[in-house]
Amino acid sequence: MEKQGYKLIANNKKAYFDYFIEDKYEAGIVLHGTEVKSIRAGKCSIKESFVRVEHGEVFIYGMHISPYEQGNIFNKDPLRVKKLMLHKYEILKLNAKLAEQGYTLVPLQVYLTKGLVKVEIGLAKGKKLYDKRESIAKKDQRREMDRQYKGIFKN
C-alpha cells in the first residue's frame, strides 16, 4: 500500500482486534537522527506500545526502534519515551475524551509521508470478549467467501 509520498513502516493489527477505534489523529514524532535512519530501514515496532497525555503533552511508550547499525555512540535507547506533536486543540479534545470511562489512546501505524515520520493514533474503547468473538466470526466468514469466490474463477 504505497501511495505517492507514503510508505507504511509499522502497523498495529492487534489494536483493531482489541479496540473499537472511534477517532484517528495524525501526529508527528520527535526523533533523533539515527532513529530516523532506522525507521527508514523499516526497523520499528508498535505492537506493545501505548499513548498517554501528560501535562498537556502526548507521549508514546513502548515503541521499539532498533539501533541503527552505523550509529555507534549516537544511538538512543530503543524503548525510550518519545514525544508526539499534536495541535493544542487536539490534545485538549483527547484529554476530555480520555477523562470519560473506558477510552484509551493506541498507536495504529507508523509511516513516512513527504520525508517525515508520522504516527497515526486512535481514540479507542476496549472490546469485551463477546465483541472479539464476533470479530473473529466476521473474519472467518470473509475468508470463507474469498475462498469460494476464488474457487468460482479457478475452474
Side-chain angles (χ1 to χ4, degrees):
M1 185 173 132
E2 196 163 323
K3 298 177 210 161
Q4 187 72 25
Y6 175 91
K7 181 183 176 193
L8 184 65
I9 304 297
N11 197 4
N12 191 356
K13 292 179 184 176
K14 194 171 186 221
Y16 289 99
F17 179 73
D18 289 338
Y19 301 98
F20 292 114
I21 308 299
E22 295 192 7
D23 211 357
K24 294 179 182 178
Y25 296 90
E26 181 181 70
I29 184 167
V30 178
L31 297 170
H32 295 281
T34 55
E35 290 176 322
V36 175
K37 289 183 178 193
S38 189
I39 285 177
R40 286 182 193 275
K43 298 186 177 175
C44 171
S45 173
I46 55 171
K47 280 190 177 120
E48 298 295 320
S49 59
F50 59 96
V51 180
R52 278 199 185 142
V53 178
E54 296 172 352
H55 309 295
E57 295 180 329
V58 183
F59 296 94
I60 187 166
Y61 292 82
M63 179 179 174
H64 187 275
I65 300 174
S66 299
Y68 186 61
E69 284 88 34
Q70 286 83 35
N72 58 43
I73 61 168
F74 299 109
N75 281 330
K76 299 289 180 189
D77 177 32
L79 289 173
R80 77 178 180 84
V81 178
K82 294 152 193 78
K83 184 177 176 182
L84 298 180
M85 296 181 287
L86 286 164
H87 291 282
K88 193 71 168 179
Y89 69 89
E90 290 176 322
I91 295 172
L92 293 173
K93 188 175 169 183
L94 283 173
N95 221 4
K97 276 289 197 181
L98 290 173
E100 292 179 29
Q101 192 67 31
Y103 281 102
T104 187
L105 284 173
V106 290
L108 302 174
Q109 57 185 352
V110 177
Y111 54 93
L112 288 167
T113 179
K114 298 177 186 170
L116 301 172
V117 179
K118 300 285 184 176
V119 178
E120 184 178 60
I121 58 175
L123 182 65
K125 200 165 198 156
K127 285 185 181 179
K128 304 279 189 251
L129 183 60
Y130 56 85
D131 292 326
K132 291 181 185 181
R133 287 183 186 146
E134 194 175 299
S135 295
I136 292 170
K138 282 182 183 176
K139 195 161 78 172
D140 287 344
Q141 285 176 341
R142 200 173 305 122
R143 192 178 298 130
E144 188 60 36
M145 285 175 30
D146 288 344
R147 261 192 222 125
Q148 290 173 357
Y149 186 72
K150 284 182 182 177
I152 293 170
F153 289 106
K154 230 178 204 181
N155 297 330

